Amino acid sequence: MSVTDRGTARDRRGGPHGTPRWAVALIPGLGDLRSGRPLTGWALLGTWAFLLFVLLTRSGRVAAALSGEVSGRGAALALVTGLALVWSLALYSSGRSGARTVRMSVPWRGLARRFAANRGAVLGAFLLMGLGWVAVLAPILAPADPLATGPLTDRLQGPSAAHLLGTDEINRDVLSRLLHGARVSLGIAFLAVALASTLGTLLGAAAGYLGGWLDRALMAVVDTVLSVPRLVLLIVLVGAVGRPSLLLLVLVLGLTQWPQTARLIRAEALSVRDREFVRAAEALGFSRTRVLFRHVIPNSLGPVIVAAALGVGNTIILEAGLSFLGVGVQPPHPSWGVMIARGREHIHTAWWLTTFAGLAIVLTVIAANMVGDGLRQGLDPRAGDDR
Amino acid sequence: MRRVAKGVLYKLSLVAGVATLLFYAVDLMPGDAPCFGPGMTREVCAQIATNRGLDESVHARYATWVVGALTGDFGDSHRQSRPVLDLIGELLPNTLLLSGLALVLAFGLGILFGVIQATRPGWVDGALGTVLLFFYSMPAFWLALMLILVLSQGLGLFPAAGVTSVDYDALSGPGRLLDRLHHLVLPVAALTLVSMGGVARYTRDSMLEVLGLDYIRAARARGLSERTVVYRHGLRSALLPIVTQLGLSLPFLFSGAVLVEAVFGWPGMGRLMYDSVAARDMPVIMGTGLMFAVIVVLSNALADALYALADPRVRYERD
Amino acid sequence: MTAEGTAAATPLVSVESLTLRAGRDPAAPVLVDRVSLEIAAGESVGLVGESGCGKTLTVLAMAGLLPADVSKAAESRVLFRGRPIEACEPSPLGREIGFVFQDPAGSINPVLRVGHQIAEVVRTLKGTSRSDAHARSLELLAEVGIADPAAKARRFPGELSGGERQRVGVALALAGDPALLIADEPTTGVDMIVQEQLLTLIEGLRERRGMALVLVSHDLAVVAEVCDRVEVVYAGEIIERGAVDRVLTDPRHPYTQGLIRCLPGRAGHGVRVAAIPGAVPVPGAWPPGCRFRPRCAHAHDRCQASPGLLLLPDARAARCWLVNEGGAP
């Protein structure tokens, strides 16, 4: 951004017209909104409003959690620090005279612009962010303990004011279980995808850039893993254990996904390898490791990001499938897949058990897919179009 | 010729790789063969383990299995004491019927919707895209349950489980066929609906890319009708990458089929696989896993061959 | 006035004040600025100019083939035989207007056999049977000078040479026996010998069939060889028009003079080919007044205002103040 651009941004924020200066200073995001960064603005404003709302309406619960009287200390801490962080960030940036400028290299700037212009993608990103906060704050948001059973004489209650989404077969509050389920499902999905992306990027880029026997061996492994339907592989890996831990689930989900990432980034690295800046770096005598990390990987990351976003949705569906079969998340952990599996036995009498858990999955996966699509179109203006 | 031989060899090595992967993966996993039921004392369990060769090293067991597999003997199921190949032969047709129908329908409908999206930009494209994304984002097994909830339980239109009705044997020839089809509707619908979104999106993108190419504009300029341009010239080129997609989407479809089979109590490979894993029925796990791999590898090879047949550019550039 | 008289007076194509913009927005950059020209039946006209000056867009508009991201101003009219081209039913594309594209590799479907593609067009335009269309496609291939048409018809475009591909492109354009052939840089990407052959072919076809021809080229020599009349285009405007031999011998616009000096034949041995300094300004960055001013050796204060297209005797015209002062500078 040039000097003149900064000047205009400064002139526009907190000027004599429009929103008063104190509001801009006090409410995070307003400054960004006024200086033409709606995405950052709404994200900050939305997060701030949501967190503040939760804090105000559930202040007793937060205080109790912080003092250790009830569970959810981590969630309460996250709420307080999150709020403090968003607020101080806004205060800090409004205190500085110039607008905050995010320095991005040219291709990423184009991606950000096209992503911001894609309504679906932005909606998906906000949804995903909201779901993330729901997962983090589940213990504070949930009206009841997800594991606390009520009297069995009164089980399988339909949706009502007391239990918005009804109760399950041992009279636990479905809404509370759903909110806690977000932690399990999102947590597993994000960790597994992070593992797969890291592993896939490193191995795929190394294979594509270095070539030779490493490439051949790695691609043979990749092709082998991709020859088995992933769910079948997962059932074999996890089913052998019987009752897998959450960590093991993350591991197997991540370890069965990296080949796809590796294949994508390898193709990309193969084309980057012959570009001039890579050749130039090699000619300067930089080590191959340095070229790999400084030039090849950063310039091959596009498809990885897309695959990661789409992978989150895919992983959530797979985890739910495993849990549905009983080889995934183990009860009493409230996982969406487990809830569907349990609800299935009562589908004739209690539709709400399966329906809401499934809708939670659909909502999350749609959000992830919309983000993925937005990234895909943002990275490759030709893919899809903005007609 | 040499290229083909090399390709076949590579595909075979993939299948061998899958076998090795599965065998060692199951062995590496902690946990023992389940030992429960009446009369299962520690001694009996130990005896069973010895009978199954479990006291040998994993490499020895793997070698035994490989020798057997190469001679066409995949062993007997521990659980059912029947040859693995018999079990697979019995259940594979059910799975192929389910997945095959869903595959055909998902690609048929997906391509149709994708073309409609590509040729009608604006609200038609947007609305169809949203609906398809909705289904695409669903777990197949949940959609299956919802279909049961609404169409089977609510409206009583279709049976919720099994391959045939109880009175199947009493039915006439056409009645039997109808009964089978009736049972197929819901599982196939669930699989088709979740799979077609991906195909439609792929078709749409491919179609839009092709329709923007010079030779499509040129075809219009030569006076060809819009229908000829879109379907004969556009779709033909756009479908080429989709052929490859056909092979690639099979693993995805099988994953869905395993779960949908579980929901509908469909006696297929998915259930066989699941039951045998729960029981650590090693020969069956290996047999089914390998069967899936063979189908996937074969269909990928088939897709490659189809692509080469359909795209003249691949053909003459190879010469 | 008799019907025949009207038909003779009506030009085949007339373009009236054609203005094209890069986008729907009325403020979008102008790509073609108030171009008017007429093509009479049987006439051959060349459009000459450097790349980016709008000549391709002009002929695309002439055929009603504008890309979706280019919009035509409301007052612009393209008439075919006196009627707006959009209103012609059935569309004259293919039937009356044959279009030969710049890049034969990109403009012919790579996954269909060439014979099939020609026959398909014949069948659509002529409504003939499958076997007749096939026979006709072989005749067309022979007409465009492809040896062994029966064998070549079974090939895919990728299996033909560049020159053969462009001949197929011409055959495709001829399939409907059009009254007007528009060829947009038909000799791009082929070597000099093939270029010569293609130009001879197009010239011969025009004479034999009595078609009108619009040839777009950046090369004045190409146009001089094939066409009777030339329209010189610069920065979205026509800056000179007239009979080819007159324009070549007596160019009135300094830009045309520059183009002629660039012709290889004119430069003697050892004499440097006189290039025009600078480059064509991009759309949206056209200077006010005469657009050639920044590159013109005769630029003067009055050039701050555009002279407009000044009409000269013998159906000639030029967009330069010097014209009024009688003759070339």
Side-chain angles (χ1 to χ4, degrees):
Chain A
M1 214 179 226
S2 69
V3 181
T4 44
D5 280 350
R6 280 195 201 188
T8 16
R10 186 196 307 153
D11 292 342
R12 254 183 278 149
R13 79 193 347 254
H17 48 79
T19 334
R21 216 191 153 84
W22 61 266
V24 175
L26 275 183
I27 301 173
L30 276 190
D32 293 281
L33 282 178
R34 290 167 48 82
S35 40
R37 285 189 300 272
L39 222 54
T40 327
W42 284 116
L44 279 175
L45 188 63
T47 313
W48 173 77
F50 175 71
L51 294 182
L52 200 63
F53 175 77
V54 173
L55 185 68
L56 293 179
T57 49
R58 307 219 149 232
S59 49
R61 181 74 167 275
V62 174
L66 280 178
S67 63
E69 286 169 44
V70 291
S71 63
R73 185 171 205 159
L77 276 174
L79 171 63
V80 175
T81 48
L83 193 56
L85 210 70
V86 169
W87 222 331
S88 55
L89 198 76
L91 288 174
Y92 170 70
S93 74
S94 76
R96 288 193 322 175
S97 57
R100 275 179 303 121
T101 54
V102 187
R103 273 169 225 282
M104 285 187 286
S105 61
V106 177
W108 299 121
R109 215 181 299 154
L111 169 65
R113 187 174 45 77
R114 283 190 291 269
F115 188 87
N118 185 332
R119 257 182 304 162
V122 173
L123 183 70
F126 282 142
L127 255 175
L128 219 51
M129 200 177 70
L131 284 162
W133 274 116
V134 165
V136 170
L137 301 180
I140 287 168
L141 291 173
D145 182 343
L147 304 181
T149 57
L152 288 187
T153 46
D154 204 18
R155 66 190 195 136
L156 294 176
Q157 295 171 35
S160 67
H163 300 281
L164 281 178
L165 302 182
T167 67
D168 69 2
E169 73 281 358
I170 44 178
N171 211 354
R172 293 174 297 199
D173 182 54
V174 171
L175 175 60
S176 302
R177 289 180 63 72
L178 217 55
L179 294 176
H180 280 267
R183 298 193 122 184
V184 178
S185 291
L186 284 175
I188 289 179
F190 275 107
L191 289 177
V193 168
L195 175 67
S197 301
T198 315
L199 209 59
T201 302
L202 289 178
L203 292 173
Y209 175 57
L210 300 174
W213 66 267
L214 176 76
D215 187 29
R216 279 198 295 277
L218 208 72
M219 282 306 112
V221 173
V222 164
D223 284 341
T224 305
V225 175
L226 293 181
S227 298
V228 199
R230 189 156 164 223
L231 189 74
V232 170
L233 192 59
L234 284 168
I235 292 177
V236 171
L237 292 177
V238 169
V241 191
R243 295 173 57 86
S245 65
L246 294 182
L247 177 69
L248 188 76
L249 274 176
V250 168
L251 283 177
V252 291
L253 282 166
L255 289 177
T256 50
Q257 207 199 333
W258 71 262
Q260 295 174 27
T261 313
R263 182 181 266 183
L264 285 172
I265 198 169
R266 172 182 175 267
E268 204 71 9
L270 274 178
S271 71
V272 170
R273 184 171 69 171
D274 296 324
R275 298 259 294 276
E276 275 164 25
F277 58 86
V278 172
R279 291 273 177 252
E282 283 170 350
L284 285 174
F286 289 129
S287 73
R288 286 169 88 69
T289 326
R290 188 187 154 108
V291 176
L292 179 67
F293 280 94
R294 292 293 294 273
H295 297 285
V296 177
I297 289 182
N299 285 291
S300 313
L301 271 183
V304 176
I305 300 171
V306 177
L310 297 174
V312 167
N314 202 7
T315 309
I316 286 177
I317 288 189
L318 271 173
E319 176 263 313
L322 286 177
S323 302
F324 178 74
L325 289 175
V327 291
V329 177
Q330 296 301 312
H333 278 302
S335 138
W336 293 336
V338 172
M339 291 172 75
I340 294 176
R342 289 300 155 100
R344 179 189 170 198
E345 295 154 26
H346 304 279
I347 194 162
H348 302 287
T349 48
W351 56 269
W352 53 90
L353 294 184
T354 36
T355 309
F356 292 129
L359 284 177
I361 295 178
V362 176
L363 185 73
T364 318
V365 177
I366 284 184
N369 283 342
M370 287 198 296
V371 172
D373 272 358
L375 289 170
R376 193 167 53 100
Q377 289 176 16
L379 280 167
D380 178 10
R382 281 176 305 122
D385 62 332
D386 20 16
R387 272 190 296 180
Chain B
M1 203 55 225
R2 256 186 77 186
R3 181 198 296 267
V4 174
K6 241 177 137 178
V8 170
L9 217 65
Y10 187 67
K11 303 276 184 211
L12 282 177
S13 75
L14 286 186
V15 175
V18 170
T20 317
L21 177 73
L22 289 181
F23 204 99
Y24 283 89
V26 173
D27 192 79
L28 274 177
M29 284 294 170
D32 289 318
C35 207
F36 40 73
M40 282 294 198
T41 60
R42 195 171 296 268
E43 290 73 35
V44 176
C45 286
Q47 185 56 49
I48 290 174
T50 314
N51 290 350
R52 293 182 184 177
L54 287 181
D55 48 357
E56 290 177 55
S57 81
V58 60
H59 309 296
R61 278 184 286 132
Y62 181 54
T64 316
W65 182 85
V66 169
V67 171
L70 284 177
T71 55
D73 176 15
F74 287 86
D76 290 357
S77 158
H78 296 328
R79 208 161 47 95
Q80 303 196 24
S81 308
R82 289 176 57 197
V84 171
L85 280 181
D86 285 9
L87 277 173
I88 292 178
E90 196 175 291
L91 299 175
L92 186 62
N94 282 335
T95 296
L96 287 184
L97 180 68
L98 186 64
S99 317
L101 266 179
L103 188 76
V104 171
L105 282 173
F107 271 82
L109 291 172
I111 290 171
L112 178 73
F113 288 136
V115 171
I116 293 177
Q117 280 188 282
T119 49
R120 308 235 168 112
W123 72 269
V124 176
D125 177 25
L128 254 179
T130 310
V131 172
L132 288 168
L133 175 69
F134 183 62
F135 282 114
Y136 180 71
S137 302
M138 278 181 193
F141 62 95
W142 181 71
L143 179 60
L145 285 170
M146 290 297 109
L147 289 177
I148 289 177
L149 191 64
V150 177
L151 296 180
S152 172
Q153 194 192 322
L155 302 173
L157 292 177
F158 303 102
V163 182
T164 53
S165 305
V166 202
D167 57 352
Y168 180 73
D169 289 331
L171 292 171
S172 61
R176 288 183 174 189
L177 185 68
L178 269 180
D179 186 57
R180 279 182 158 268
L181 286 177
H182 203 207
H183 281 81
L184 268 170
V185 173
L186 289 189
V188 169
L191 267 181
T192 305
L193 285 171
V194 297
S195 315
M196 70 184 185
V199 182
R201 192 172 58 183
Y202 204 80
T203 309
R204 173 185 176 273
D205 290 354
S206 172
M207 195 73 184
L208 279 177
E209 193 180 330
V210 170
L211 287 183
L213 291 178
D214 280 347
Y215 66 80
I216 294 296
R217 279 185 25 219
R220 280 202 192 98
R222 291 180 187 123
L224 294 179
S225 69
E226 190 60 22
R227 242 188 48 211
T228 312
V229 170
V230 170
Y231 292 96
R232 288 254 279 282
H233 288 254
L235 190 56
R236 200 190 163 105
S237 309
L239 279 184
L240 285 172
I242 295 170
V243 172
T244 330
Q245 198 65 12
L246 197 85
L248 292 177
S249 70
L250 217 63
F252 180 74
L253 200 74
F254 279 139
S255 290
V258 169
L259 286 157
V260 170
E261 283 180 5
V263 172
F264 287 96
W266 191 265
M269 297 283 282
R271 256 204 28 207
L272 178 65
M273 166 119 239
Y274 170 68
D275 288 345
S276 54
V277 167
R280 290 196 67 126
D281 194 343
M282 197 64 180
V284 183
I285 298 175
M286 293 302 297
T288 45
L290 213 59
M291 185 56 68
F292 275 122
V294 168
I295 296 174
V296 170
V297 169
L298 273 183
S299 58
N300 279 340
L302 197 69
D304 287 350
L306 273 177
Y307 188 89
L309 269 182
D311 191 344
R313 287 168 293 188
V314 177
R315 239 177 302 155
Y316 56 70
E317 273 160 21
R318 271 192 186 167
D319 297 339
Chain C
M1 204 184 257
T2 64
E4 256 184 359
T6 334
T10 312
L12 200 53
V13 177
S14 64
V15 173
E16 295 171 11
S17 185
L18 179 73
T19 299
L20 300 175
R21 287 193 173 84
R24 304 255 153 242
D25 190 352
V30 173
L31 304 168
V32 169
D33 192 5
R34 286 164 293 171
V35 163
S36 297
L37 53 90
E38 288 183 351
I39 315 289
E43 182 184 30
S44 74
V45 180
L47 248 61
V48 178
E50 287 168 87
S51 54
C53 67
K55 52 193 193 308
T56 293
L57 281 174
T58 305
V59 291
L60 284 176
M62 222 184 259
L65 281 172
L66 282 179
D69 51 357
V70 173
S71 66
K72 198 163 77 177
E75 72 276 11
S76 306
R77 298 219 297 164
V78 177
L79 303 178
F80 185 77
R81 293 194 197 278
R83 297 174 56 202
I85 192 153
E86 301 84 5
C88 291
E89 196 62 44
S91 159
L93 278 180
R95 291 176 180 81
E96 301 257 38
I97 304 177
F99 209 109
V100 180
F101 291 85
Q102 195 166 10
D103 165 27
S107 62
I108 303 174
N109 193 330
V111 301
L112 297 174
R113 294 173 200 279
V114 295
H116 173 89
Q117 294 192 55
I118 301 173
E120 187 180 43
V121 178
V122 171
R123 249 155 58 85
T124 313
L125 298 179
K126 301 280 176 181
T128 52
S129 72
R130 205 170 275 270
S131 59
D132 287 354
H134 177 69
R136 180 82 186 114
S137 72
L138 297 187
E139 285 173 26
L140 283 165
L141 283 173
E143 191 182 352
V144 297
I146 285 191
D148 196 4
K152 292 285 161 70
R154 284 193 297 271
R155 300 276 180 86
F156 289 97
E159 296 171 299
L160 302 177
S161 72
E164 283 174 323
R165 267 202 294 264
Q166 191 54 294
R167 283 171 194 268
V168 171
V170 175
L172 280 163
L174 292 179
D177 298 320
L180 167 65
L181 188 71
I182 300 178
D184 180 11
E185 305 258 15
T187 56
T188 309
V190 294
D191 60 52
M192 287 303 290
I193 298 168
V194 177
Q195 165 169 333
E196 200 58 36
Q197 290 170 348
L198 281 171
L199 292 176
T200 313
L201 170 74
I202 291 173
E203 202 181 356
L205 284 169
R206 187 189 75 80
E207 275 166 19
R208 221 173 319 134
R209 288 174 166 250
M211 299 181 293
L213 171 72
V214 173
L215 181 71
V216 174
S217 180
H218 60 274
D219 187 349
L220 192 55
V222 165
V223 169
E225 187 178 337
V226 179
C227 301
D228 305 334
R229 201 153 67 75
V230 63
E231 309 261 354
V232 184
V233 188
Y234 185 82
E237 289 176 324
I238 289 178
I239 53 110
E240 177 149 14
R241 75 161 45 125
V244 166
D245 42 1
R246 296 292 310 279
V247 171
L248 275 181
T249 49
D250 177 25
R252 293 302 182 87
H253 196 286
Y255 177 63
T256 318
Q257 290 159 7
L259 282 182
I260 291 170
R261 277 200 302 277
C262 290
L263 291 179
R266 308 263 157 162
H269 286 288
V271 180
R272 223 177 115 243
V273 174
I276 307 168
V280 190
V282 295
W286 292 334
C290 173
R291 289 173 192 167
F292 188 61
R293 179 164 46 99
R295 299 170 73 184
C296 183
H298 312 281
H300 196 271
D301 282 349
R302 63 191 159 173
C303 301
Q304 308 253 347
S306 173
L309 196 60
L310 303 172
L311 298 179
L312 297 164
D314 303 331
R316 292 194 59 186
R319 195 181 289 273
C320 182
W321 289 115
L322 294 169
V323 169
N324 269 353
E325 288 161 17

